[in-house]
Amino acid sequence: MRIFVITGAGVSAESGIPTFRGEDGYWRNFDPAKLATPEAFACDPKLVWQWYRERRQRIREAQPNAAHQAITKLAQYADEFLLVTQNVDDLHARAGVPAEKMVQIHGDIFVTRCSRCHFQFREEGRGGTPEPSVHCTQSGRLWSIAPTSAQREERSIAPTSAQREEIPMCPKCDELMRPGVVWFGEQLDPDKIDIVERFLARGHCDYAIVIGTTATFGYIIDWALRANASGGELIEVNPDETPLSTFATQRIHEPATIALPRLIDQICNP
Ligand code: OAD
């Protein structure tokens, strides 16, 4: 059985992570142009980093929910499976979806990457630890993820709050580092698009399941419809209507943690 799943912020909502366009969604209270564009970062990198650090911390404190667990079960059950998530959190990974079966199409919030060169590193997102400090030398430079023993020694000195506020600088080219997410006006990673395209080109999907997304972006609608182009089921799990609703063969207007365990049981035990 071939199964294609798309998730959005709604799947993590019941883990306590705000959506973007929902009632208490980020974009109801904040202007994306001031936080999630290359221009915003150029204008006020400190503000942008502060927002992403707060989000990182919130995600660390969150736990995968029953919907994440159900999707993992589906990934194990299917002969071929691909999850495209728009979420930059790590809750699918922490619920056990293997990296090779998942594409984080909007990036990974725990990645910090140089805004000029290819240098990047990833901080572990997992549960409950405080936001790791930016590892600074006295001049405020960031160190690489694999520190030398001398660096390790210096790291054990607790950073001051001023250092925590530092904007990480690339140790290779001295440019500002930024969160490893896709901002408005930026291109998606072509390698990630390739993975999705190759999965869809390889054949018919028995199920395309779209969960907790407003399907705002054309490529999300396009992938969902193409996964369903040769028949099969297109199932939407969302308390609200979306542009995809009229194309769905089954609409489940319930929260993901209620709908998904039941739905996945039905698929895995026909
Ligand atoms: P949105 O905030 O646009 O939509 C969340 C969707 O989840 C809405 O359709 C809700 O009805 C639904 N929802 C809320 N609670 C739910 C629950 N418990 N169970 C199931 N569904 C629920 O989030 P996305 O569609 O993911 O991009 O947003 C897409 C992208 O827009 C994000 O990845 C982000 C944002 O700007 C970038 O940052 C590039």
Side-chain angles (χ1 to χ4, degrees):
M1 189 177 284
R2 297 188 88 236
I3 301 180
F4 182 66
V5 175
I6 296 177
T7 62
V11 84
S12 294
E14 292 167 87
S15 292
I17 299 174
T19 65
F20 292 92
R21 298 171 184 82
E23 219 169 89
D24 290 318
Y26 285 120
W27 300 153
R28 297 283 184 104
N29 301 305
F30 300 116
D31 178 358
K34 294 207 172 85
L35 293 169
T37 62
E39 293 76 19
F41 187 67
C43 178
D44 194 344
K46 235 177 185 169
L47 176 74
V48 172
W49 263 115
Q50 188 188 343
W51 188 58
Y52 279 94
R53 285 195 178 119
E54 281 166 18
R55 286 180 61 197
R56 282 179 174 181
Q57 187 56 26
R58 197 165 191 150
I59 293 165
R60 281 193 194 94
E61 287 162 4
Q63 296 302 327
N65 64 42
H68 297 105
Q69 309 288 2
I71 293 166
T72 304
K73 192 170 163 192
L74 200 57
Q76 289 159 351
Y77 171 79
D79 302 305
E80 283 190 69
F81 178 92
L82 186 68
L83 166 64
V84 176
T85 184
Q86 296 163 87
N87 299 345
V88 296
D89 66 48
D90 61 352
L91 296 185
H92 283 302
R94 279 160 58 191
V97 177
E100 67 275 12
K101 293 186 178 182
M102 173 168 60
V103 173
Q104 279 187 290
I105 198 71
H106 291 164
D108 175 345
I109 198 168
F110 292 106
V111 167
T112 300
R113 69 175 172 85
C114 179
S115 46
R116 179 165 47 198
C117 76
H118 293 297
F119 180 79
Q120 66 171 47
F121 66 90
R122 186 175 191 284
E123 292 169 1
E124 281 305 313
R126 269 170 190 281
T129 54
E131 166 70 25
S133 60
V134 170
H135 307 303
C136 296
T137 63
Q138 284 182 328
S139 61
R141 298 277 162 76
L142 183 79
W143 286 339
S144 78
I145 206 168
T148 63
S149 56
Q151 286 171 329
R152 258 186 236 119
E153 207 170 286
E154 191 160 337
R155 259 191 195 195
S156 67
I157 300 165
T160 64
S161 56
Q163 282 173 325
R164 268 197 204 98
E165 290 305 305
E166 286 292 336
I167 299 157
M169 303 297 291
C170 179
K172 294 242 165 31
C173 73
D174 209 23
E175 184 53 85
L176 295 183
M177 294 192 82
R178 54 166 282 181
V181 300
V182 179
W183 283 329
F184 289 100
E186 293 186 317
Q187 302 292 318
L188 300 178
D189 180 340
D191 293 339
K192 292 182 179 177
I193 295 177
D194 238 40
I195 295 171
V196 183
E197 291 292 334
R198 274 190 272 118
F199 185 87
L200 293 178
R202 268 204 305 277
H204 165 87
C205 295
D206 300 281
Y207 289 95
I209 309 175
V210 182
I211 308 150
T213 176
T214 44
T216 305
F217 299 112
Y219 46 88
I220 295 299
I221 297 175
D222 180 52
W223 286 335
L225 295 183
R226 279 170 50 211
N228 183 240
S230 53
E233 295 270 351
L234 173 56
I235 303 175
E236 182 177 61
V237 177
N238 196 317
D240 292 339
E241 294 281 314
T242 80
L244 270 175
S245 303
T246 51
F247 302 101
T249 57
Q250 201 184 135
R251 287 197 298 264
I252 308 179
H253 290 302
E254 286 177 326
T257 60
I258 306 287
L260 276 202
R262 191 184 64 232
L263 174 68
I264 269 76
D265 261 356
Q266 284 163 5
I267 294 173
C268 298
N269 305 298

